[in-house]
Amino acid sequence: GMCESRIVNATQAIAGVTEAAWDKDKQLLKVTFDKSQTTVDGIQQEVAKAGHDTKAHKATVDAYAALPGCCKYERLDQ
């Protein structure tokens, strides 16, 4: 639950995002947004700032380290 909340909340402050839902089983974030106000890349950057790697952006070491133990995962290329 904490991971889902953190990931979804990372998108809520982004202008143009109207909905976000995390699918834990698929490890997939579905976001509805206005393309004139933000981009997929911008959304991924915010999720990475919250400590979670995305396909395009890695969380910083500090952001990842700040995650609760239950939200940590095996990181590739670290």
Side-chain angles (χ1 to χ4, degrees):
M2 287 193 304
C3 299
E4 177 180 3
S5 295
R6 184 177 308 93
I7 292 167
V8 170
N9 287 341
T11 68
Q12 298 305 300
I14 303 170
V17 171
T18 56
E19 184 177 350
W22 175 249
D23 184 322
K24 180 181 176 182
D25 295 328
K26 294 180 182 178
Q27 299 287 294
L28 182 69
L29 177 64
K30 182 176 180 181
V31 181
T32 304
F33 64 97
D34 180 340
K35 292 179 183 177
S36 70
Q37 295 185 313
T38 193
T39 63
V40 170
D41 189 65
I43 293 167
Q44 289 190 29
Q45 287 177 6
E46 292 302 314
V47 171
K49 286 179 188 176
H52 297 274
D53 295 343
T54 71
K55 287 184 178 183
H57 297 280
K58 294 256 185 216
T60 65
V61 172
D62 290 340
Y64 177 78
L67 293 175
C70 61
C71 293
K72 293 188 177 176
Y73 47 90
E74 182 178 347
R75 297 183 83 193
L76 303 176
D77 301 320
Q78 288 293 318

